[in-house]
Amino acid sequence: MLILLLSFFILLFLRVPVAISLALSTILVFFQIDFNMNMIPQRIFTALDSFPMMAIPGFVLAGVLMARGGISKYLIEALRAWIGHLPGGLAVVTIIACAIFAAISGSSPATAAAIGSIMIPAMISAGYKKRYSMGLVAAGGTLGILIPPSVPLIIYGITSEQSIGELFMAGVFPGLALTGVLIVAAIVYAKRNGFKGDEPATWSERGRKSLKAIWGAFLPFLILGTIYTGIVTPTESAVIAVFYGLIVSLFIYREMKLKDFRDVLVESVNITAMIFLIIGAASLFGLYLTNAQVPQQVGAWIAESDMNKWIFMIIVNILFFIMGMFLEAVSIILITLPILLPILVHFDINLIHFAIIMTINMELGMITPPVGLNLFVVSGIAKEKLGEVVKGVTPFIVLMIIFLALVVLIPQLSLWLPAHMK
């Protein structure tokens, strides 16, 4: 285990991609223990040969289509027409737009990119500090993996053998609550700094822009509604989202041409390949853990120690926060969850509730340096140094840590909706 961890972090330090680092370090250990190497390609194939896994490329492609097809643009225009004139209106528009786009894409970087490219210049021109605007978009973008559909929740469900539909339902209330927290913080900040909004839009303008945006606004209801009513599985809803996005982008908004579809596919394939490569590499890591009986040994150690449930939760949250600084969400879930599952069972911690705790920690990982993906996305959009983005997002990190503590202490925030929709 020591050889595996040392080689893994040395490779990471040498800037080898996470998936390659994880696979190479695990294969190195397999050589040391005289393992049957023919099992390696078989294990990778088995890990990816899963029907629920097909939801990932579906939601990734749907998210890229939404960003390229004008849906984010028209949603923002409609929101600005209704609330852009209020104090802090532009900041509130940014957060709500992130929440809506999160319910389409399932990805934090995609949400930050789609909304940030429009709202960061708009907020700066309205007098908001650039540092604050960047921090708000980076934090708002994290809603992409908490509000369903969510790629990390799909990975969690497959790894822990939990219902992906229930995990999606568990993310709704915490996602909306965090959206509300960010909105309140934005309004307080705007009032303290005397920020004015846009000129009030006329009622006819509001109606026109709302009608234009309704096609995009309907998509989250289509995705989540069909899943929660049991009409389709999450995987099937991803396919529906892709076809709906294609129709809206090509024939209704006409923001995208058929020739642009190749670029959309290339971007989607790149994102999906990165995720699947990590899943394949992590399956090898899981194979080693199972072979060495690491989860059982850790579980036995916990059972014999005086550690209680709350000390365990504090340690795990600190561990996730530290790992989030260096690894992305999918890697953390696939590396830690096989080890933690027996311990969660030992302490009788609800696996659905823990999924939301883990996801909020992954949200924090998206905005904590040095490897927070949203930080790089926003830095690229705003053409600003990474350090400035980090300074802008720091107050939101504190806010999200407080929110995480509330979710840990109040399990019903996550569990009420799944319990009432069974």
Side-chain angles (χ1 to χ4, degrees), residues 292-335:
Q293 295 191 320
V294 172
Q296 291 86 342
Q297 291 175 30
V298 173
W301 174 73
I302 294 287
E304 292 168 5
S305 69
D306 293 329
M307 188 183 299
N308 62 36
K309 170 183 172 179
W310 297 109
I311 294 173
F312 167 73
M313 290 296 282
I314 291 168
I315 292 171
V316 165
N317 278 291
I318 292 171
L319 173 69
F320 284 155
F321 186 82
I322 294 169
M323 291 184 77
M325 293 180 177
F326 303 99
L327 299 171
E328 45 76 53
V330 174
S331 303
I332 297 171
I333 292 169
L334 291 169
I335 291 169

Side-chain angles (χ1 to χ4, degrees), residues 82-421:
W82 282 98
I83 59 176
H85 63 284
L86 300 173
L90 280 182
V92 175
V93 166
T94 301
I95 296 161
I96 296 175
C98 284
I100 295 173
F101 197 84
I104 297 171
S105 69
S107 164
S108 284
T111 302
I115 305 305
S117 58
I118 300 170
M119 291 309 300
I120 289 175
M123 289 180 70
I124 293 169
S125 64
Y128 286 83
K129 290 180 181 176
K130 189 174 186 179
R131 184 183 292 177
Y132 173 80
S133 304
M134 294 188 298
L136 183 72
V137 168
T142 65
L143 295 169
I145 60 169
L146 182 58
I147 296 176
S150 161
V151 170
L153 285 178
I154 294 170
I155 301 294
Y156 183 99
I158 293 167
T159 307
S160 63
E161 298 181 352
Q162 297 297 303
S163 164
I164 294 171
E166 283 189 42
L167 290 170
F168 279 5
M169 285 186 273
V172 172
F173 276 176
L176 294 176
L178 182 55
T179 303
V181 167
L182 292 174
I183 286 172
V184 170
I187 292 170
V188 169
Y189 178 85
K191 286 189 173 180
R192 280 186 178 177
N193 290 274
F195 288 125
K196 306 270 184 205
D198 294 333
E199 287 294 319
T202 62
W203 284 102
S204 63
E205 190 179 355
R206 287 173 180 170
R208 180 170 50 80
K209 290 188 175 180
S210 297
L211 279 173
K212 188 80 172 176
I214 200 166
W215 296 101
F218 175 69
L219 187 53
F221 297 101
L222 177 67
I223 294 170
L224 303 181
T226 52
I227 293 172
Y228 297 160
T229 53
I231 297 171
V232 298
T233 65
T235 303
E236 291 162 345
S237 75
V239 178
I240 291 171
V242 169
F243 277 100
Y244 182 88
L246 266 175
I247 292 166
V248 172
S249 301
L250 290 172
F251 304 113
I252 297 175
Y253 288 156
R254 297 180 182 177
E255 292 277 327
M256 199 176 81
K257 308 293 183 201
L258 273 174
K259 64 180 181 180
D260 301 324
F261 189 58
R262 181 183 179 278
D263 293 335
V264 168
L265 281 177
V266 168
E267 186 176 341
S268 303
V269 168
N270 285 338
I271 296 168
T272 304
M274 176 192 70
I275 295 170
F276 275 29
L277 195 59
I278 292 170
I279 293 169
S283 72
L284 297 182
F285 180 70
L287 179 63
Y288 169 74
L289 293 179
T290 305
N291 193 62
Q293 295 191 320
V294 172
Q296 291 86 342
Q297 291 175 30
V298 173
W301 174 73
I302 294 287
E304 292 168 5
S305 69
D306 293 329
M307 188 183 299
N308 62 36
K309 170 183 172 179
W310 297 109
I311 294 173
F312 167 73
M313 290 296 282
I314 291 168
I315 292 171
V316 165
N317 278 291
I318 292 171
L319 173 69
F320 284 155
F321 186 82
I322 294 169
M323 291 184 77
M325 293 180 177
F326 303 99
L327 299 171
E328 45 76 53
V330 174
S331 303
I332 297 171
I333 292 169
L334 291 169
I335 291 169
T336 60
L337 197 54
I339 300 172
L340 294 175
L341 280 173
I343 307 170
L344 296 171
V345 173
H346 170 76
F347 284 122
D348 195 27
I349 296 169
N350 188 289
L351 294 182
I352 300 291
H353 178 223
F354 188 77
I356 304 306
I357 293 170
M358 198 172 193
T359 303
I360 296 171
N361 275 288
M362 300 307 99
E363 287 189 292
L364 282 164
M366 293 286 178
I367 54 175
T368 48
V371 191
L373 290 180
N374 282 18
L375 301 179
F376 290 101
V377 169
V378 171
S379 173
I381 291 168
K383 295 180 174 57
E384 188 60 79
K385 291 179 181 176
L386 193 65
E388 286 298 300
V389 186
V390 172
K391 289 174 185 175
V393 86
T394 300
F396 296 102
I397 292 175
V398 175
L399 203 61
M400 288 174 67
I401 289 172
I402 295 168
F403 179 77
L404 171 62
L406 286 174
V407 172
V408 171
L409 294 170
I410 311 172
Q412 285 307 308
L413 274 174
S414 312
L415 300 178
W416 185 87
L417 192 58
H420 283 76
M421 293 191 73

Side-chain angles (χ1 to χ4, degrees), residues 41-59:
Q42 182 183 341
R43 179 70 180 206
I44 293 172
F45 179 80
T46 304
L48 299 176
D49 184 23
S50 164
F51 180 74
M53 201 78 76
M54 290 171 62
I56 296 172
F59 284 124

Side-chain angles (χ1 to χ4, degrees), residues 8-20:
F8 176 59
F9 285 109
I10 288 169
L11 287 167
L12 281 182
F13 181 74
L14 295 173
R15 296 187 177 277
V16 177
V18 173
I20 307 300

